[in-house]
Every structure is written in structure tokens, then in C-alpha cells.
Amino acid sequence: TSVKGRGIPAYRFGGGDNKIVYIGGTHGNEKSSATILNRWIDQLEAQAPRIPARSSIVVIPILNSDGYAESNRLNGNRVDLNRNFAANNWKSGVTLPDKTFLPAGGGTEPLTEPESKAIANYLMANRPRLVLTYHASGNVVIPNDSGDSVNIAKQYANKSSVYFAYNSQTGAIFDYDTTGAMEDWLHDKYGITTLLIELYSQTSNDYADHEEALWWTAGL
């Protein structure tokens, strides 16, 4: 549950050992990330026979349920959840996309927040083959450099409307620090293959442009 007691549901499809996890709504004002994953849930329910027998597909459409309810990037404690993970570059003070500086926007230490702690515990308990996190807006897919993330990200770009960029290009794409990010934590501490997908806008419905890529990743 969230800071304010809201649930953080995860939807699982299939019973295989090969786990693929899709996460949206880490920033509550990025509504498109929840929209695409809720549409993905609908498709998985409607077309369950397409799910490979070896796979378990887990979809978490809204990680930051308080921020989503309030259309706020931050959680109920005014922490940016994607700055609250124990990546090698974590720091407490963070600058937001609008250039606002929050002295404790990354938390007073990593994983202080119930939402980030919950997803961290879930991922560590399940050790997925692949994690995909959805944000907005950059219209790009970026690998975290673990495992075969670069090749998967290139294929994701080929099968969707986003373009591919290397992880080393992150600083040039975003003109603000992205410290303590979930994707970097999964690379730095556990070597788990992860993609960051930035959708077209914070309010768009991008499902049709990503459907082929989503079904492709479900079979990895």
C-alpha cells in the first residue's frame, strides 16, 4: 500500500517460471503510463491463449497510487519514487524536470518509501527475466545495460513508435539528474535486464503503437 493507504495491485497472467514485469505510474502525473498498461491488462485477459506457457506476465499499472490520484509526480511524502532506489548514484537532494530542487526528494536514504520498498521486495522475491518501466514523455526506449537489454531495447524500438537510445545518452536526453532510478538500481545491484520506455506524452494513449512490442516482450 501507499503512504496514504491506497493499494498497489499487480496483475499476473500465466504460470511459467519466466517472469516479465511491466511497471507504470511511478510518477503520478504520467497518466499515459497507466493507460498503456491497463490496455495491456485488457488484452492479456482477452487473449490469454497467446501467453507462452513458460511465461508469467506481471503488470503493475500504477505504482504511485497517491500521486496518480492527485495528478502529482511525487508520492504522499513528496518523494520522487524513481529517485529513491539504491543505485550507485543515489542522493537525497534531487532536481525535478521543472527545475524545482527538493532537498529530500530522493528520500532521506534509499527505499524509505512504502511504494519503492514494496516494488523492490517484489522484484527481489521474483527475480524477473525482464522489467519494463513506463514513463512520459520522451518517446524513447533506453536499456539499463544489464544482460541483453541493449538488443531487446533495439527490437522494442523497431516494433513500436519510440526510438532507441543507449543508456550513456540519458544525460543528453534529460536535462536534469536521474539519480536513484529503479532501472539503474536493478543494473547496479542485481544485473537484472530492464528497459525504460518514455511514452509520447503524459496524457496520450500509446497502446496501439506498442502492442506488437508488448506481445513480443511477453514471449522473451
Side-chain angles (χ1 to χ4, degrees):
T1 56
S2 69
V3 170
K4 298 183 179 180
R6 291 185 172 94
I8 306 169
Y11 302 84
R12 178 169 173 163
F13 302 86
D17 293 331
N18 199 55
K19 299 180 179 71
I20 315 291
V21 179
Y22 304 78
I23 303 168
T26 304
H27 296 131
N29 61 341
E30 297 172 0
K31 304 289 190 177
S32 56
S33 64
T35 299
I36 191 173
L37 293 187
N38 279 317
R39 285 288 308 278
W40 180 220
I41 289 168
D42 291 342
Q43 289 300 303
L44 289 165
E45 288 179 335
Q47 302 184 51
R50 290 183 64 181
I51 300 170
R54 69 180 182 280
S55 297
S56 287
I57 309 304
V58 177
V59 187
I60 303 166
I62 304 174
L63 179 61
N64 183 2
S65 49
D66 292 342
Y68 186 86
E70 299 164 7
S71 297
N72 193 328
R73 177 184 178 89
L74 309 175
N75 80 339
N77 287 332
R78 290 193 54 76
V79 170
D80 185 326
L81 294 180
N82 210 35
R83 306 291 178 268
N84 189 228
F85 290 85
N88 292 344
N89 65 358
W90 175 87
K91 59 184 181 182
S92 182
V94 300
T95 301
L96 302 182
D98 65 1
K99 304 304 185 288
T100 301
F101 180 75
L102 292 181
T108 54
E109 61 184 42
L111 299 180
T112 53
E113 304 310 297
E115 300 92 347
S116 51
K117 189 178 297 183
I119 191 63
N121 288 341
Y122 185 85
L123 293 174
M124 291 308 94
N126 286 275
R127 296 296 175 118
R129 181 263 185 271
L130 173 65
V131 177
L132 303 95
T133 66
Y134 288 80
H135 291 266
S137 56
N139 209 43
V140 63
V141 55
I142 301 173
N144 76 337
D145 291 339
S146 284
D148 53 352
S149 62
V150 171
N151 289 334
I152 294 175
K154 287 179 177 178
Q155 287 298 314
Y156 193 103
N158 289 337
K159 298 175 185 297
S160 72
S161 59
V162 297
Y163 72 94
F164 167 83
Y166 286 100
N167 194 24
S168 60
Q169 297 173 274
T170 301
I173 295 170
F174 304 106
D175 57 352
Y176 51 90
D177 274 348
T178 56
T179 54
M182 183 191 305
E183 301 83 12
D184 293 333
W185 164 71
L186 287 169
H187 169 72
D188 294 344
K189 306 303 183 185
Y190 301 100
I192 292 177
T193 302
T194 306
L195 305 187
L196 166 70
I197 297 103
E198 289 273 346
L199 300 171
Y200 178 73
S201 79
Q202 292 186 348
T203 58
S204 54
N205 183 346
D206 295 8
Y207 180 77
D209 292 332
H210 289 252
E211 182 173 14
E212 181 183 356
L214 285 162
W215 278 111
W216 178 75
T217 56
L220 291 172

